[in-house]
Every structure is written in C-alpha cells, then in structure tokens.
Amino acid sequence: MDGQPPPLPATRYPLPATESPLPAPRYSLPATRYHNIYDMNIRILSAERNLYTGEASAVTLPGIDGSFTVLDHHAPLIAGLRAGTVRCTRTDGTEVPGIDIAGGCVLVADNQVTVCVE
C-alpha cells in the first residue's frame, strides 16, 4: 500500500442535499389570540399573586452570580435569583416599572420567561 487509508464504505458518505433520513415535520406553530407568537411572553409570579404578565423584548434579572438579560428566542435556561430588581422592556420600547424581589428562580423555554419570586 502507498500509506493511504482505505476508502470509506459508501454508507459512510454524506447523503446528497436533496435526501434526508428524517421525515418532513407534520406540525405548524399554534395560533393564539392572546399574544404574538414571535414575542417573548413574561410572567412574574409570587406565592400571593401574579406581579406582571405581558410581552417583552428584554428582561433583566438579578442572578446569583450577577445580573443578566434575556432577549427574544433565548436558549433554554433555569437560574437562581438573588435580591434585586427585575426590569422588563416592552416590545414597543417602554419600560415596565422595576419589580423588587427578595430572591427566586427563572425558567426560560420556548420564548416564555417565568419568574417565581419571594
């Protein structure tokens, strides 16, 4: 042999771009009457009541290791929160009055942000 490895079997080569081993998706995005499915939906909840529900383009949270901001279509996330202020920016650019919290947690998934606070 000339020092070259043998060629890979034909089954190891990538499929042509027109073929896919996966079936075509058979679903569509659900329609909703309550909000635009492309906007991030925020819910800030305490044990006593719902503090805020609405659409937002950004929410800034006091994380345990420092403040962080969640934007539209953020990757899934679960984080602990320390005492501080939660700030939301609505989709029209206006600010929601800051909500002071004593701690809690946040869940980010599917463009939904749920903040459970103390």
Side-chain angles (χ1 to χ4, degrees):
M1 301 211 29
D2 57 1
Q4 296 291 328
L8 295 174
T11 57
R12 305 285 304 259
Y13 291 130
L15 295 172
T18 58
E19 296 179 27
S20 173
L22 301 175
R26 290 191 267 167
Y27 61 87
S28 61
L29 293 174
T32 178
R33 305 180 301 220
Y34 303 110
H35 66 280
N36 184 341
I37 60 174
Y38 301 108
D39 292 333
M40 184 169 57
N41 190 21
I42 309 292
R43 291 186 304 165
I44 302 174
L45 311 168
S46 72
E48 295 82 30
R49 63 188 176 101
N50 184 353
L51 300 173
Y52 177 76
T53 299
E55 296 174 357
S57 59
V59 59
T60 301
L61 302 153
I64 291 176
D65 293 329
S67 293
F68 61 95
T69 300
V70 174
L71 302 174
D72 281 345
H73 305 289
H74 196 284
L77 166 76
I78 296 175
L81 302 175
R82 62 175 166 75
T85 303
V86 177
R87 301 188 185 281
C88 296
T89 304
R90 293 185 182 109
T91 54
D92 63 2
T94 60
E95 293 283 328
V96 174
I99 299 170
D100 292 324
I101 64 168
C105 62
V106 61
L107 168 65
V108 179
D110 298 326
N111 220 23
Q112 307 284 317
V113 178
T114 304
V115 184
C116 298
V117 300
E118 297 173 2

